[in-house]
Amino acid sequence: MVHLTDKEKRMLEGDLGEFRGKAMEFIVRYADVLGAEELVEVSRATLFIGAQRYLDCYDPATDYGKIFSEFYLCSEKALDFARFAEGCKTQTCAGACDFAEYRRSHVSKELIDRNWSYLQATKECGVKIVESCTPYYVGWIPIMGEHFVSTESSNVVISNSVFGAMGNSDGVEAAVCAAITGRTPKWGMHVRSGRRATCLVNVECRLETAFDWDLLGFTIGRLMPKHVVPVVAGDFPKPDIDRLKQFASSIAVTSSTELCHIVGVTPEAHTLEMATDGRKPPYEITVSREDCVESFEMICDKGSGPVDYVSIGCPHLSLDELKGVAESLRGKRIRRGGELLVWTDYATKSMSDLNGYTRTIEDSGACVLTGSCPVVMREDCHRHATGMAINGAKQAFNIKNQTGVPVYFGDIRECLNAALLGKWEKRTWKKS
Ligand code: F3S
């Protein structure tokens, strides 16, 4: 049975309100299932909430207070909304749709309005509307040792690995209850010993571009044993945050990894010994170029073919990436009848507007959208596509569960090329 502080006991007994009491009941049950002996204070959270498609089981006319109580707090009684934990900086993850662009993103106006009304309800409780799967681009940066919760798997990997913060890949209900109570079970990544590297990954492939890092993440995730903490070692240039973003998103597709040390790059792995606490890791794998090419063939459909739906921005693009897209599209037009969707978050789009990148991109016929993506918006938004090109391994791999049309996977340049030509051109692998 988890040990609670006096404040936590009062919360559980409902002294701080029924809303928080119900959330605390959930956290205590969660802790008991995990075998955690105590809770930790959580000071940052990102939540996958709003009118997400997982709520499609409810009639849209249902009161959101009832939905929220039932779905997130397991309460049959519809509770009044109340403030989330004051000490926890909470914001929304990737959302159900763009804020306003229903025509160009192919969702209903009803969904846009409902998403906005749900987000307003939680905003009144202290949850900021951000709608980003890359919250670190816009200031949500947990510092070393800070405890967080996040429902975005790539953000969990980035926050643990790159920032040295401490958090698990929680389910959406557990993360919501943690943000309401400001507590989560002290277990897994929240405990120092759970962060020790247990699988050495020797990298023997070229690692230069963001695409290389995307494929590496996917490949490590599928080749390493389950439930290990990997540490990557090899002779490669230091990756920047855009490369690490691709890596973090794809390793979390093929594995349950929450933390991946990279020797000489991440803060708990200045050396291999530091990451392993000086112990010999029980597991060791080597990743070759052939392994990465095999991953590519698992994600990208074969050959060349017509493409009329191109989505880039998985995970959401940084300002630097938007600048690069604008430079590539300057003075060009995408193929008539096709569409090019460029995904970022709202704050980054505002900076892109300011710099004129959005104008340049949209002059090509493309559309800059915020806060969501085709995988999260699901089938309705891409049902009309007859051939798709996508830049992130996470999105390209997952969208195959939602469509029967060819899905091609490549780097941003290849995807832009597909939008301009209306055709995917088979990738030719250079000799390494
Ligand atoms: Fe973000 Fe969607 Fe990719 S939520 S990480 S853009 S699949």
Side-chain angles (χ1 to χ4, degrees):
M1 186 81 182
V2 62
H3 171 80
L4 301 180
T5 63
D6 288 345
K7 181 169 179 191
E8 290 160 358
K9 280 184 197 150
R10 286 182 44 229
M11 228 188 282
L12 183 63
E13 282 155 15
D15 290 359
L16 304 183
E18 213 177 352
F19 188 72
R20 219 171 261 190
K22 269 289 169 195
M24 195 59 172
E25 272 181 30
F26 187 108
I27 292 292
V28 168
R29 280 204 307 276
Y30 185 33
D32 286 339
V33 168
L34 294 173
E37 291 177 1
E38 55 185 320
L39 306 180
V40 285
E41 285 191 37
V42 174
S43 48
R44 283 193 181 268
T46 75
L47 305 178
F48 189 59
I49 55 174
Q52 301 288 0
R53 302 303 303 265
Y54 60 74
L55 294 181
D56 283 359
C57 52
Y58 286 95
D59 180 336
T62 312
D63 174 66
Y64 186 46
K66 177 176 164 49
I67 294 175
F68 196 96
S69 302
E70 241 176 52
F71 196 90
Y72 301 112
L73 303 178
C74 305
S75 168
E76 284 175 15
K77 179 180 165 194
L79 304 172
D80 290 336
F81 279 106
R83 298 288 298 177
F84 280 40
E86 290 302 336
C88 187
K89 296 174 184 69
T90 302
Q91 63 187 48
T92 57
C93 273
C97 48
D98 181 274
F99 291 123
E101 287 282 3
Y102 59 95
R103 287 203 183 89
R104 295 202 291 178
S105 60
H106 309 283
V107 296
S108 68
K109 172 132 183 3
E110 185 278 328
L111 176 66
I112 298 241
D113 293 343
R114 187 154 44 89
N115 188 47
W116 187 245
S117 82
Y118 287 8
L119 295 176
Q120 291 301 322
T122 43
K123 191 189 78 180
E124 292 304 310
C125 305
V127 182
K128 295 181 289 295
I129 302 170
V130 174
E131 308 283 85
S132 169
C133 56
T134 52
Y136 40 89
Y137 281 154
V138 289
W140 188 97
I141 301 176
I143 61 168
M144 191 142 189
E146 186 172 356
H147 295 277
F148 69 92
V149 293
S150 178
T151 39
E152 168 50 48
S153 58
S154 66
N155 184 40
V156 171
V157 177
I158 287 280
S159 297
N160 276 307
S161 314
V162 179
F163 303 138
M166 305 173 90
N168 295 322
S169 285
D170 291 305
V172 66
E173 305 88 342
V176 166
C177 290
I180 292 172
T181 58
R183 300 290 188 281
T184 197
K186 189 174 180 183
W187 183 85
M189 292 295 120
H190 293 284
V191 181
R192 279 271 155 235
S193 58
R195 304 173 66 85
R196 184 187 311 128
T198 52
C199 180
L200 172 60
V201 180
N202 302 299
V203 171
E204 293 184 353
C205 51
R206 189 189 75 150
L207 273 186
E208 286 169 15
T209 64
F211 184 76
D212 295 338
W213 281 92
D214 205 352
L215 271 184
L216 178 72
F218 192 93
T219 308
I220 292 175
R222 74 181 177 84
L223 295 183
M224 71 185 179
K226 286 186 172 46
H227 310 305
V228 295
V229 176
V231 54
V232 173
D235 182 18
F236 47 78
K238 277 197 182 190
D240 63 8
I241 190 70
D242 292 339
R243 287 169 174 78
L244 290 168
K245 169 184 74 167
Q246 296 303 142
F247 175 76
S249 64
S250 58
I251 196 172
V253 170
T254 43
S255 73
S256 55
T257 300
E258 295 158 315
L259 163 65
C260 180
H261 302 289
I262 306 175
V263 176
V265 174
T266 57
E268 291 164 85
H270 293 172
T271 62
L272 179 60
E273 292 67 35
M274 184 180 173
T276 60
D277 276 350
R279 305 177 192 199
K280 183 174 164 39
Y283 302 98
E284 181 169 347
I285 63 167
T286 297
V287 176
S288 66
R289 182 171 182 274
E290 288 66 38
D291 295 323
C292 290
V293 173
E294 197 173 296
S295 293
F296 174 78
E297 286 166 357
M298 291 168 73
I299 306 165
C300 184
D301 277 334
K302 282 194 172 46
S304 306
V307 160
D308 56 5
Y309 186 101
V310 179
S311 166
I312 61 170
C314 172
H316 289 163
L317 296 183
S318 66
L319 189 60
D320 283 322
E321 289 171 320
L322 284 164
K323 175 173 176 278
V325 172
E327 285 166 359
S328 299
L329 290 177
R330 187 180 304 280
K332 298 178 182 162
R333 288 288 301 172
I334 66 164
R335 175 85 171 196
R336 185 188 286 267
E339 59 192 313
L340 169 58
L341 308 180
V342 179
W343 291 95
T344 186
D345 62 82
Y346 186 78
T348 305
K349 177 175 180 290
S350 298
M351 294 186 283
S352 170
D353 295 349
L354 196 64
N355 283 281
Y357 305 149
T358 307
R359 168 67 69 89
T360 305
I361 294 169
E362 297 208 330
D363 279 352
S364 75
C367 179
V368 180
L369 294 161
T370 65
S372 190
C373 80
V375 163
V376 173
M377 296 193 307
R378 301 192 62 87
E379 293 85 343
D380 290 349
C381 79
H382 55 76
R383 207 182 295 283
H384 56 286
T386 60
M388 304 173 94
I390 287 171
N391 86 300
K394 175 176 175 179
Q395 193 172 108
F397 190 70
N398 284 328
I399 214 154
K400 286 168 184 275
N401 296 324
Q402 299 179 14
T403 184
V405 307
V407 176
Y408 301 107
F409 162 58
D411 60 24
I412 291 179
R413 188 191 52 78
E414 289 168 304
C415 290
L416 294 180
N417 205 34
L420 293 168
L421 296 175
K423 179 174 186 288
W424 183 259
E425 292 193 330
K426 183 172 181 261
R427 167 175 265 262
T428 43
W429 288 88
K430 288 192 204 113
K431 286 200 167 54
S432 58

